[in-house]
Amino acid sequence: MTPTRMQDTAVAADDGVRLWASRSGRGTSGTTPLVLCHGGPGLWDMFGDVAGMIDDRATVIRWDQRGCGRSEPCAGPWTIERFAADLDAVRRHFALERIVLLGHSWGASLALNYALAHPERVAALIYVSGTGIGPDADWHGAYEANLLARLGEDPQRLARWR
């Protein structure tokens, strides 16, 4: 299948801020579009290469969060609820009923927050190097015990790790 050309557009957020977005690729019938949420905020449009690798398999939406990259500079507000509303404006602009969300770093936290607020709009969530899982004291001990137990299943792997 030949990918579609990239379509850059301006999306109006519900408070009037204009957000840059781009649609590319062409999903097959029944595939859910992939929306990419960059990290930062400030690492705008970091997913161009990723979109290019999969645009023959999926419709891909990239967007610059408010105040970043090609989106309109603004004075905020800088809340997770505001960014989630902006993400929903992007979804509505492209008339997407359900989406697959991939978020990196801050974008992973944004994608998770959006999925929790709107589970009926999210078919899947890909959480890459996200933040917000709490201080090391909350999770690191259990993580390390699990890791060592799994590595211990293969003595060579465990020896390599140590």
Side-chain angles (χ1 to χ4, degrees):
M1 178 175 291
T2 304
T4 60
R5 294 188 64 220
M6 187 170 66
Q7 170 196 358
D8 289 357
T9 189
V11 174
D14 60 8
D15 65 352
V17 172
R18 295 173 61 83
L19 308 168
W20 174 86
S22 178
R23 178 184 204 149
S24 64
R26 183 182 323 180
T28 59
S29 177
T31 60
T32 305
L34 174 65
V35 177
L36 303 169
C37 297
H38 65 76
L43 298 175
W44 59 89
D45 196 25
M46 58 187 272
F47 288 119
D49 291 341
V50 172
M53 288 188 276
I54 61 175
D55 68 359
D56 62 335
R57 295 180 180 91
T59 299
V60 180
I61 309 294
R62 300 175 358 247
W63 65 293
D64 287 346
Q65 296 161 20
R66 68 176 40 226
C68 297
R70 289 161 282 196
S71 287
E72 184 176 43
C74 66
W78 309 108
T79 65
I80 191 76
E81 294 80 14
R82 175 70 263 159
F83 282 83
D86 291 348
L87 173 54
D88 200 51
V90 171
R91 181 196 62 81
R92 284 191 322 271
H93 176 85
F94 290 105
L96 306 174
E97 186 175 328
R98 289 176 51 87
I99 56 178
V100 172
L101 280 174
L102 183 151
H104 171 259
S105 189
W106 152 254
S109 296
L110 170 58
L112 176 59
N113 183 277
Y114 183 87
L116 291 170
H118 305 289
E120 73 284 359
R121 298 176 191 160
V122 179
L125 172 67
I126 305 165
Y127 192 86
V128 180
S129 297
T131 61
I133 60 174
D136 287 358
D138 290 351
W139 61 270
H140 195 266
Y143 163 79
E144 189 170 342
N146 182 50
L147 174 66
L148 292 174
R150 290 177 59 209
L151 288 173
E153 295 169 2
D154 180 343
Q156 289 179 327
R157 262 192 298 173
L158 181 58
R160 234 181 18 227
W161 172 257
R162 291 185 178 203

